[in-house]
Amino acid sequence: MTQASAATRVARRRHDREIIALAVPAFGALVAEPLFVMADSAIVGHLGTAQLAGLGVASALLMTAVSVFVFLAYATTAAVARRVGAGDLQAAIRQGMDGIWLALLLGAAVITVVLPTAPALVEVFGASDTAAPHATTYLRISALGIPAMLVVLAATGVLRGLQDTRTPLYVAIAGFVANAGLNAGLVYGAGLGIAGSAWGTVIAQCGMAAAYLFVVVRGARRHGASLRPDAAGIRACAQAGAPLLVRTLSLRAILMIATAVAARLGDADVAAHQIILSLWSLLAFALDAIAIAGQAIIGRYLGAGDAQGAREACRRMVQWGIAAGIVLGFLVIVARPLFIPLFTGDSVVQNTALPALIVVAVSQPISGIVFILDGVLMGAGDGPYLAWAMLATLAVFTPVALLVPVFGGGLTALWGAMTLMMTVRMLTLWLRSRSGRWIVTGATR
């Protein structure tokens, strides 16, 4: 074995250890998040169909409002990781505090919008007359927890940037347990009904935010970082997050268009689409965990001025993404006859979903590359390019998806359009990664 090949093997092992150490806890924390909604649904579902329908509408609105601001986690991770790489922990935590203050400001703004408009929002989402009052009650109460939810996003970004994904995992698990216990106690023990479920979620989210703030504040005091809001720093966080907001909104638009097209295909198609979309989202958690590791690792390398290390880490993580995609695709093919019956016994829906699932399975290696390169460019702070690339992807996907009902092909064709969307994303991200323009070293981009 030559010295060069030995050095390559050592570098790969180092990268593998870093990826595993960050990705595995991140995956656990990501999976814990949807469990909140599942626990609420299981508890509220026993109150009645109207209450469960109201919860479905309100939680969709709530999750949409929160997911729009996921840049609070992504942008904060990249910015903090750069300063960690540069060896300035005080500035890293100060940067994180700016993100947390921005989260509080955005949370307060969202509350002022949601509280008075809750009935109208519920109506727009098509809640029935029996479900609407329950949806409005849940939305108004749970909206009070939005600042805490956004603080959780920003603080999670701080800890990821500090190369710590274990603490978010522990907080997520504790939050899930507390949420389930509070919901059961308030809904049935206190007899508050769906309002009890909303209050339980608010209390659990506030508890999670308090736990994160305790960890971040302790770190700030240890390293002498100021806790006071800094207008310039908050403004810089908002500017860094704006392109990622455009990226997120474009992606949400793609998913909404896909659902709207599926609805035009018929009841069986839209039902099968929801099943496939839930699986697609679950697979995304596994790939996103590696992407999160990429955000933290790439940011640290670039902050330390190690461009070559960033390139090598990017290359290794792409290999991980491809391998993970192949494994996940194989699992989907093997498990598809068992997976679909968990959601429906309708043979028409099952037969509609099966061929579309094959398309999803085959596309998983593409998804693996997309998620990893997305994480790499986020870690590099290359938000403007990500925004333009996603807008271009939206422009390609929209006409193709809208033509599916015209030319036929049903749900399988629609998921073919989704695969085209992921392929376009892969090409735009691959071209950027190959150009090297994302590699900007230093404590700030």
Side-chain angles (χ1 to χ4, degrees), residues 275-296:
I275 294 171
I276 296 171
L277 191 61
S278 66
L279 175 62
W280 192 73
S281 300
L282 179 63
L283 298 173
F285 284 135
L287 298 174
D288 203 27
I290 307 174
I292 287 169
Q295 294 172 30

Side-chain angles (χ1 to χ4, degrees), residues 3 24 26 46 67 101 110 115 126 174 242 315 340-341 351 377 406 409 415:
Q3 284 187 332
V24 172
H46 291 285
S67 64
W101 280 112
V110 173
L115 288 182
R315 189 178 305 113
I340 297 176
N351 292 333
L377 296 185
V406 177
W415 276 92

